[in-house]
Amino acid sequence: MGTHLTGRSVRVLIGPEPKNLITRDMPEVKVSFEGFVGDRHAGLTRKADVRTPRFPRGALVRNTRQVSIVSTEELALIAEALGVPQVLAAWLGANLELAGVPRLTQLPPGTRLVFPEDATLVVEGENEPCRKVGRTVESHHPEQPGLANRFVKAAHERRGLVSWVERPGVIRPGDRVKVELPPAVAYSMPAVADPAVSKP
Amino acid sequence: MGTHLTGRSVRVLIGPEPKNLITRDMPEVKVSFEGFVGDRHAGLTRKADVRTPRFPRGALVRNTRQVSIVSTEELALIAEALGVPQVLAAWLGANLELAGVPRLTQLPPGTRLVFPEDATLVVEGENEPCRKVGRTVESHHPEQPGLANRFVKAAHERRGLVSWVERPGVIRPGDRVKVELPPAVAYSMPAVADPAVSKP
């Protein structure tokens, strides 16, 4: 089952409006197989878009981007890089802010986040920074033009993760979370001369 | 999107009977969000069991073990280790046999298998060998007592993978399959002295 470390949830957030990126703090969230109940990203399936370029635009695929997660420490690093006092999880449209998990954005796919009231999330991968979020950050600091463009670089490898629900439950601010890394794997691409590769 | 390599499907199999481990060859399979249509492992959710010891027995969790996959080359290695002429994918209850993917069982979680008629499977992880399958192998070679027990060792890191459906479609024998590895990640456990770990 691999090694694990421990963090804690700082806040849980919901974005109820389909067209509004910003999320808001909740005292708790119910977690179903669809995601955070009431959040605009909840659903068992989703239509492929720019975030899932491996599929044709509009193809119906499993929703592996149900819950977005950011890190308190990484938000502080983004703020520092931008020269602003703070960057809030809500501005990034995050559903969950965790503290105490080093280099959260680098957690590999398949990492499990296990919460005390049953909920378990599985990491799909990094949530890549976009200018849309950057514009939200900029709107809070209009005195700093160009923040939207600078956000993408400042948030590189710090913008957090997307994940999906493996087990339903409840998540609250202050919950301890166990972070279970998948077993270490040492798969590397075979050399081109490998006959299994050159004659598939 | 990471690097990728290419293999091909050798056979597709269904296990329609709830209590019979053995699967049988099909000319094609329909793939839904639940798994291989008609297979006993299909379903959006499953009850946690000995295969998912991180959850309490019986807890309802996402079914990440919809489709089991083995490799032609690894089956040959198992047969060689056991000293039998062949080990069939059907004996292992596999749903899919692939050839041309080196060290299939070592593919990391999050690896995607992309088929020409839309179906996409995501690797959950290694399917650990058990004696139950060993007994099936032994039943085909009663002249070799002890095969059931020896199977577990012979199949170590060769018994294939379990996976879930990201995109529905159809899979047929002879299909080319693209194997997309997840982006390389270099996450390692922080030293114990890391304050973020010691004061979660």
Side-chain angles (χ1 to χ4, degrees):
Chain A
M1 294 179 54
T3 36
H4 69 261
L5 41 90
T6 308
R8 66 188 149 77
S9 76
V10 174
R11 55 185 91 238
V12 294
L13 310 97
I14 292 288
E17 298 153 43
K19 294 198 173 174
N20 187 350
L21 176 99
I22 296 178
T23 47
R24 54 183 186 230
D25 281 70
M26 304 291 285
E28 65 175 50
V29 288
K30 283 190 182 142
V31 183
S32 75
F33 283 116
E34 301 202 339
F36 278 14
V37 174
D39 185 73
R40 69 191 183 97
H41 292 101
L44 290 179
T45 58
R46 66 191 286 277
K47 286 187 178 170
D49 59 16
V50 65
R51 294 296 202 154
T52 45
R54 69 172 58 80
F55 300 114
R57 192 76 64 98
L60 197 65
V61 298
R62 186 78 74 97
N63 183 5
T64 55
R65 305 178 57 87
Q66 293 173 336
V67 178
S68 71
I69 310 170
V70 296
S71 135
T72 304
E73 294 83 355
E74 290 177 337
L75 289 178
L77 291 171
I78 296 173
E80 192 183 326
L82 291 175
V84 300
Q86 61 178 356
V87 169
L88 296 184
W91 299 352
L92 276 61
N95 297 118
L96 183 60
E97 180 182 329
L98 300 181
V101 183
R103 301 183 300 285
L104 178 95
T105 300
Q106 300 306 298
L107 289 173
T111 298
R112 285 180 166 83
L113 306 173
V114 183
F115 294 84
E117 292 175 84
D118 297 350
T120 301
L121 305 178
V122 179
V123 170
E124 158 70 15
E126 187 175 347
N127 195 5
E128 297 192 4
C130 66
R131 271 196 297 183
K132 197 170 167 189
V133 164
R135 284 193 289 271
T136 303
V137 177
E138 185 172 293
S139 72
H140 287 86
H141 293 281
E143 77 283 4
Q144 293 216 33
L147 220 51
N149 288 328
R150 287 169 52 218
F151 172 80
V152 176
K153 189 176 174 196
H156 179 66
E157 295 186 352
R158 298 167 180 167
R159 196 248 178 277
L161 302 163
V162 288
S163 66
W164 49 269
V165 176
E166 185 171 28
R167 188 183 181 201
V170 173
I171 304 179
R172 302 174 203 271
D175 279 353
R176 278 175 82 90
V177 53
K178 274 201 304 181
V179 180
E180 296 182 0
L181 298 175
V185 283
Y187 194 90
S188 55
M189 293 293 284
V192 179
D194 188 322
V197 178
S198 55
K199 293 183 291 183
Chain B
M1 293 180 54
T3 36
H4 70 260
L5 40 91
T6 308
R8 65 188 149 78
S9 76
V10 174
R11 55 185 92 238
V12 295
L13 310 97
I14 293 287
E17 298 152 41
K19 294 196 173 174
N20 187 350
L21 176 100
I22 296 177
T23 47
R24 54 182 187 231
D25 282 70
M26 304 290 285
E28 65 175 51
V29 289
K30 283 190 182 143
V31 183
S32 76
F33 283 116
E34 301 203 337
F36 277 15
V37 174
D39 185 73
R40 67 193 185 97
H41 293 102
L44 290 177
T45 59
R46 67 190 287 276
K47 287 187 177 169
D49 59 16
V50 65
R51 293 297 202 154
T52 45
R54 68 172 58 83
F55 300 115
R57 192 75 65 98
L60 198 66
V61 298
R62 186 78 74 97
N63 183 5
T64 56
R65 304 178 58 86
Q66 294 173 337
V67 178
S68 72
I69 311 169
V70 295
S71 133
T72 305
E73 294 83 354
E74 290 177 337
L75 290 177
L77 291 171
I78 297 173
E80 191 183 327
L82 292 175
V84 299
Q86 63 178 355
V87 169
L88 295 184
W91 299 352
L92 276 61
N95 298 119
L96 184 60
E97 180 181 329
L98 301 181
V101 183
R103 301 183 299 288
L104 178 95
T105 300
Q106 301 305 298
L107 290 173
T111 298
R112 285 181 165 82
L113 305 173
V114 183
F115 294 84
E117 291 175 84
D118 297 350
T120 301
L121 306 178
V122 179
V123 170
E124 158 69 15
E126 188 175 345
N127 195 4
E128 298 192 3
C130 66
R131 272 194 297 181
K132 196 170 168 189
V133 164
R135 283 193 290 272
T136 303
V137 178
E138 185 172 291
S139 72
H140 288 86
H141 292 282
E143 77 284 3
Q144 293 215 31
L147 218 52
N149 288 327
R150 287 169 53 217
F151 174 79
V152 175
K153 189 176 174 196
H156 179 65
E157 297 187 349
R158 296 166 181 167
R159 197 246 177 279
L161 301 163
V162 288
S163 66
W164 48 269
V165 176
E166 185 170 28
R167 188 183 183 202
V170 173
I171 304 179
R172 302 172 204 270
D175 279 353
R176 278 176 83 90
V177 52
K178 273 201 305 179
V179 180
E180 296 182 0
L181 297 174
V185 284
Y187 194 90
S188 54
M189 293 292 287
V192 178
D194 188 322
V197 178
S198 54
K199 293 183 292 185

